[in-house]
Amino acid sequence: MEPVKVRIEGLEVHYASKRALHGVHLEVNTNEVLALIGPSGCGKSTLLRALNRMNEVLPGVKQRGSITLEGDRIDQMDVVELRRRVGMVFQRSNPFAKSIFENVAFGLRIAGLTSTSELAGRVEQSLVQAALWDEVKDRLGDSALALSGGQQQRLCIARALAVQPEVVLMDEPASALDPIATARIEELIHELKTRYTIVIVTHNMQQAARVSDRTAFLYMGELVEVGRTETIFTNPSMKRTEDYVTGKFG
Amino acid sequence: MPGHTDKAFERDLQTLRDKLLAMGARAEAMIAESVLCLAERDSRLGKHVIASDAEVNRLEVEVDDLCRRVLALRQPAASDLRFITTALKIVTDLERVGDLAVNIAERAIDLNDAQPMPIYGDLPHLAQLAQTQLKDSLDAFVAGDAAKAEALLGRDELLDALFLKLFNDLLQLMMEDSKHVRRATNLVFVAKHLERIGDHALNIAEMVIYMVRGTDVRHPLSRELHRAHAS
Amino acid sequence: MTLGARFALGRLFERLTALAAALIVLALGVVLVDVLRDGVGVVSWRFFVDEPGAGPTEGGIFPAIFGTVALTLVMTIIVMPLGVGAALYLHEYASPTSRLAGLARAAVHHLAGVPSIVYGLFGLGFFVHALGGALDAATGQALKWAQPGLLWAACTLAVLTLPTVIVATEEALRAVPSEVRLASLALGATRAQTLGRVVLPAAAPGILTAAVLAVSRGAGEVAPVLLTGVASWLPDLPGSLSSQFMHLGFHAYVLATQSPDVDAARPALAGTVAALLVLTFLLNLVAIVLRARLRRGMEAS
């Protein structure tokens, strides 16, 4: 068993009057890919955003319970520091209206890095890791908005990787992409696993089955079951999980 | 249990179940007829068994096609996935049972052309046991009854012991008088086929246990050895 | 109703709407043709660069052009930080339930509906008398600030154009996808960094459009400056922010109503109006070009 990277204990999240998550206990191991699955509104995205405190951006969110990153409580951490350590990739690719280079360099500049050579090195390294370098190395100054959808999403991954996070959160990273671009993202996730811990939310169960080591199933704000992905998809122990993965929700 | 949200998927699974059952019923009937062919010295029954094999073969192809289609189009998971993979394996066993019934019928026809020979009391017993095993395994499959399948596993030794006894008796007969050799050999084959049918029933039962519980009960010894070796 | 009748009704309605659209084009065309025909005689280089002569038909309109440009420039400098700041607060910081934001939004909508002469009265009362008076009292000067002047007219126009700027800027901010803000925050940027480095650069073309819209609106308004700083005849260019100034719009009004011989003043009037129209058209053209560029940028994403 890999050492625990993130530990979630008794997590409860409320939006205004609605309870989004309740009594969630979950551990994320170092260098694993953990998939969060469940029907819409089950709380999987809320759980994901709790890990880098992005829920705080929304008004009226209340949270109880504890989340620790390598043993340190994240609610006591400087949020900037936390988000540097826990990066995020969103559902819709959202590059800034800047050049490819400046997109990747953004987090580094925010963190106060100014050395041009260091920036260039880190940008290249991140683009290589995100499997985009070969496609863009000759046009780093071009607008990021001119890239294709799949390239934009890989650029967003590169942007998240540039600040060298330990954990990468992915919120349905391929849901807006065609099958080939999706396959590339999935391939990328396999490669990134060796360096990063990845938590991915997906509506696509086959995708969860393909990319993740472990899968957690959430339903109506509760964690129903978490286990090895193979087990969840061949022999889940909870009836709700079984009904969900076989398509018996109505 | 709620059905699948996708009704076409639900229908595919039902069709698959029906086809497997039809195949099982056909195979059971073929065994019964082939044994009767021998007991009643009625070769017409044997010819009917041989003719019936075509239907079992056709059903095998159909079940295979349907399984492949469901796998390709629906990406089944959990119990559905276990059902499909089980179906794919059971269908092979049932097809083999049909072939074995045909073999028995052929031997019976050959025997029916010769002088009658006292059939040893153990042969009908063996035939009956093999049929029961197959029927029970199919019942367990239909009902998703792992306990029934488990009960069946223990009875295979009885079948094996009975076959061994029959084999020794027939060997004895051959040694006593060489003019019995052809017929006795035929009977040995029949007994062996019945014992094999029992083995196929056993395979089906093991798959049913996997399908219901998600645990593989096959070859526990070999797996333990491998695990001990690996660690 | 038969199918044929329904089709006929549909065609009738289509023609009525087309007629309405044609009337607008016609109205603009009549104004343009009329102004250009009357004005073409006086429109010369000298007309634009000369100061006015003794009578309304003599000399040029340069001080009016200069006054109009200076006025809108000062107005822009005042209104942009205020309007963009307010829009930023309303759109980026205020929570949807904030009472201040609700009040501010209501105020913006009501401001947009106030007749422009009311702005003039407000400017006279608040800027000239109250603010100017206080300024004079504080600096010990007599009647330097407490009289109509360029600054107070610009302030009044700024209040008038504030709703335009706020609404257009909010529109530009809304056009920046919220995912982009989230991405910046998720990279460890603070709210202010997100605004400064991501949101404002992305909204810049839209904010620029807001500025041009405000300028073109402000340049054409006469009523608010009537009481707050405009002069009917002033050959000298305004020397300071407290100076009075000439204005194209007001000059046109004066030529049309205050001259002893209205017919003699007609060519000068037409020339003045033409100058005002050209100025406004130029500003609108800039707005259109900027907006087209913004839209192209958004299509690329």
Side-chain angles (χ1 to χ4, degrees):
Chain A
M1 197 68 160
E2 296 290 333
V4 172
K5 189 81 186 175
V6 179
R7 176 173 278 124
I8 302 160
E9 283 171 320
L11 182 66
E12 191 164 327
V13 178
H14 289 260
Y15 290 122
S17 57
K18 189 175 153 285
R19 190 173 72 184
L21 279 178
H22 177 63
V24 173
H25 292 264
L26 183 63
E27 282 163 7
V28 188
N29 300 320
T30 307
N31 290 42
E32 79 167 347
V33 178
L34 175 70
L36 306 178
I37 62 168
S40 294
C42 71
K44 53 192 191 299
S45 289
T46 304
L47 177 57
L48 192 77
R49 287 196 303 265
L51 301 183
N52 67 344
R53 285 171 58 188
M54 283 298 276
N55 284 326
E56 291 172 11
V57 173
L58 308 168
V61 175
K62 288 199 181 64
Q63 188 170 320
R64 264 203 298 264
S66 96
I67 301 175
T68 56
L69 176 63
E70 295 202 319
D72 300 324
R73 284 187 65 121
I74 65 166
D75 53 353
Q76 287 161 9
M77 241 178 242
D78 173 29
V79 71
V80 169
E81 169 69 7
L82 171 69
R83 289 177 187 162
R84 196 196 57 69
R85 291 175 67 186
V86 182
M88 190 164 200
V89 176
F90 295 81
Q91 179 175 7
R92 271 174 51 189
S93 58
N94 49 4
F96 304 132
K98 297 174 187 290
S99 69
I100 293 168
F101 184 92
E102 284 305 323
N103 262 277
V104 183
F106 183 83
L108 300 168
R109 288 199 194 276
I110 287 289
L113 192 68
T114 48
S115 149
T116 318
S117 60
E118 210 173 325
L119 277 171
R122 294 274 285 272
V123 167
E124 173 173 350
Q125 191 192 346
S126 311
L127 285 168
V128 168
Q129 279 184 32
L132 190 61
W133 176 250
D134 288 336
E135 291 159 61
V136 302
K137 63 183 173 200
D138 301 324
R139 47 182 179 133
L140 292 175
D142 289 6
S143 167
L145 301 178
L147 295 173
S148 74
Q151 289 173 326
Q152 285 192 9
Q153 192 59 301
R154 276 179 284 149
L155 179 70
C156 292
I157 293 175
R159 185 174 65 185
L161 298 181
V163 293
Q164 301 181 324
E166 298 157 45
V167 181
V168 179
L169 309 175
M170 298 187 171
D171 192 353
E172 300 190 45
S175 65
L177 302 180
D178 67 54
I180 292 170
T182 301
R184 288 193 163 184
I185 300 283
E186 289 176 4
E187 171 62 20
L188 184 57
I189 291 172
H190 278 298
E191 281 166 24
L192 295 178
K193 201 170 83 171
T194 55
R195 260 178 255 241
Y196 306 93
T197 301
I198 297 171
V199 185
I200 176 171
V201 162
T202 176
H203 262 126
N204 180 336
M205 280 189 279
Q206 276 69 47
Q207 181 171 73
R210 286 191 296 265
V211 303
S212 69
D213 300 308
R214 290 196 309 143
T215 297
F217 171 61
L218 287 96
Y219 185 69
M220 291 180 62
E222 292 187 30
L223 178 67
V224 175
E225 181 172 2
V226 56
R228 290 184 53 222
T229 297
E230 191 191 313
T231 311
I232 295 287
F233 283 95
T234 59
N235 190 21
S237 48
M238 305 298 289
K239 171 98 171 50
R240 285 226 171 272
T241 318
E242 164 83 29
D243 284 350
Y244 185 67
V245 299
T246 55
K248 285 181 189 152
F249 266 42
Chain B
M1 178 164 104
H4 291 81
T5 308
D6 185 339
K7 292 300 164 216
F9 185 20
E10 189 75 29
R11 275 197 298 279
D12 279 352
L13 292 177
Q14 193 52 50
T15 308
L16 187 57
R17 209 169 281 127
D18 292 346
K19 280 189 193 296
L20 277 169
L21 285 184
M23 210 176 153
R26 197 65 248 158
E28 271 182 58
M30 285 167 74
I31 301 168
E33 281 179 28
S34 66
V35 172
L36 213 58
C37 163
L38 184 63
E40 309 267 314
R41 296 183 66 80
D42 183 349
S43 293
R44 279 177 313 170
L45 284 171
K47 296 212 169 79
H48 184 245
V49 169
I50 294 167
S52 296
D53 196 38
E55 191 192 342
V56 172
N57 290 346
R58 179 179 61 80
L59 280 167
E60 181 196 18
V61 173
E62 285 178 11
V63 167
D64 270 357
D65 274 350
L66 193 51
C67 286
R68 270 195 297 269
R69 210 179 78 203
V70 170
L71 282 172
L73 303 184
R74 315 252 180 222
Q75 290 91 36
S79 60
D80 295 336
L81 180 66
R82 301 202 302 271
F83 172 65
I84 302 290
T85 51
T86 298
L88 273 171
K89 305 206 80 166
I90 284 183
V91 78
T92 315
D93 282 309
L94 288 176
E95 193 271 337
R96 292 297 300 155
V97 167
D99 287 351
L100 290 168
V102 167
N103 288 349
I104 292 173
E106 283 167 354
R107 298 288 169 188
I109 290 168
D110 195 46
L111 281 165
N112 291 347
D113 289 344
Q115 286 293 313
M117 194 172 145
I119 292 187
Y120 288 87
D122 289 332
L123 194 63
H125 189 199
L126 183 65
Q128 204 242 320
L129 258 180
Q131 279 184 65
T132 310
Q133 289 285 79
L134 183 67
K135 184 173 183 312
D136 284 358
S137 70
L138 289 170
D139 286 349
F141 172 71
V142 174
D145 186 344
K148 186 166 197 152
E150 228 165 17
L152 184 156
L153 298 184
R155 291 202 296 269
D156 191 52
E157 283 170 25
L158 203 62
L159 225 77
D160 289 349
L162 210 54
F163 165 69
L164 206 61
K165 180 167 178 299
L166 209 57
F167 177 66
N168 283 330
D169 289 351
L170 289 164
L171 216 55
Q172 189 70 38
L173 201 68
M174 286 189 266
M175 280 191 288
E176 280 165 11
D177 189 344
S178 64
K179 71 177 189 297
H180 290 316
V181 169
R182 183 184 174 100
R183 283 173 296 164
T185 307
N186 272 333
L187 284 175
V188 168
F189 273 119
V190 169
K192 182 66 196 167
H193 294 332
L194 289 169
E195 188 266 340
R196 286 299 298 156
I197 288 173
D199 288 346
H200 285 300
L202 193 77
N203 283 350
I204 294 174
E206 285 170 344
M207 286 310 294
V208 168
I209 293 172
Y210 167 73
M211 181 181 86
V212 176
R213 296 194 182 142
T215 46
D216 202 329
V217 294
R218 296 172 305 170
H219 317 302
L221 274 176
S222 322
R223 286 195 295 175
E224 236 158 66
L225 278 175
H226 178 77
R227 210 171 297 140
H229 199 76
S231 60
Chain C
M1 199 186 290
T2 67
L3 197 62
R6 268 188 279 165
F7 273 124
L9 198 71
R11 267 198 306 276
L12 180 71
F13 189 70
E14 182 188 331
R15 281 180 194 156
L16 281 174
T17 55
L19 188 69
L23 275 176
I24 294 174
V25 178
L26 195 72
L28 183 64
V30 166
V31 170
L32 279 181
V33 167
D34 187 51
V35 162
L36 290 178
R37 196 192 54 211
D38 285 353
V40 83
V42 295
V43 172
S44 67
W45 182 240
R46 301 204 56 84
F47 181 69
F48 288 123
V49 298
D50 271 3
E51 56 207 43
T57 53
E58 292 162 38
I61 55 165
F62 182 68
I65 294 178
F66 182 88
T68 308
V69 170
L71 176 71
T72 42
L73 202 68
V74 176
M75 172 207 77
T76 309
I77 291 167
I78 295 167
V79 75
M80 285 315 286
L82 215 62
V84 172
L88 277 178
Y89 175 78
L90 288 178
H91 194 261
E92 301 290 327
Y93 285 104
S95 86
T97 54
S98 154
R99 299 202 41 179
L100 176 60
L103 274 172
R105 282 218 169 79
V108 166
H109 285 127
H110 288 113
L111 273 180
V114 171
S116 50
I117 187 66
V118 177
Y119 283 100
L121 289 168
F122 163 76
L124 180 67
F126 180 73
F127 291 119
V128 178
H129 290 154
L131 221 55
L135 212 59
D136 276 350
T139 54
Q141 284 164 311
L143 276 191
K144 176 173 166 54
W145 294 107
Q147 59 176 349
L150 185 61
L151 179 65
W152 302 137
C155 283
T156 309
L157 273 187
V159 177
L160 173 89
T161 49
L162 200 54
T164 317
V165 174
I166 291 175
V167 170
T169 305
E170 265 205 274
E171 203 54 55
L173 291 174
R174 209 169 290 135
V176 179
S178 62
E179 286 95 340
V180 167
R181 295 177 179 80
L182 291 179
S184 169
L185 292 172
L187 284 166
T190 63
R191 248 197 151 112
Q193 281 173 319
T194 301
L195 269 185
R197 300 198 189 203
V198 177
V199 178
L200 280 180
I207 293 173
L208 237 62
T209 310
V212 176
L213 283 176
V215 166
S216 65
R217 167 98 202 270
E221 282 289 348
V222 177
V225 297
L226 204 61
L227 304 167
T228 52
V230 85
S232 55
W233 191 85
L234 200 69
D236 296 331
L237 300 182
S240 81
L241 284 175
S242 61
S243 313
Q244 290 201 316
F245 56 94
M246 285 186 76
H247 187 274
L248 281 172
F250 185 64
H251 190 58
Y253 169 75
V254 169
L255 287 176
T257 60
Q258 310 292 305
S259 69
D261 183 355
V262 174
D263 279 340
R266 262 189 101 81
L269 172 62
T272 305
V273 171
L276 187 58
L277 285 180
V278 167
L279 202 67
T280 315
F281 278 176
L282 279 178
L283 291 169
N284 275 325
L285 196 70
V286 174
I288 287 165
V289 168
L290 281 176
R291 227 175 307 173
R293 210 179 268 175
L294 173 73
R295 209 166 292 151
R296 258 206 308 282
M298 278 168 45
E299 270 162 15
S301 66

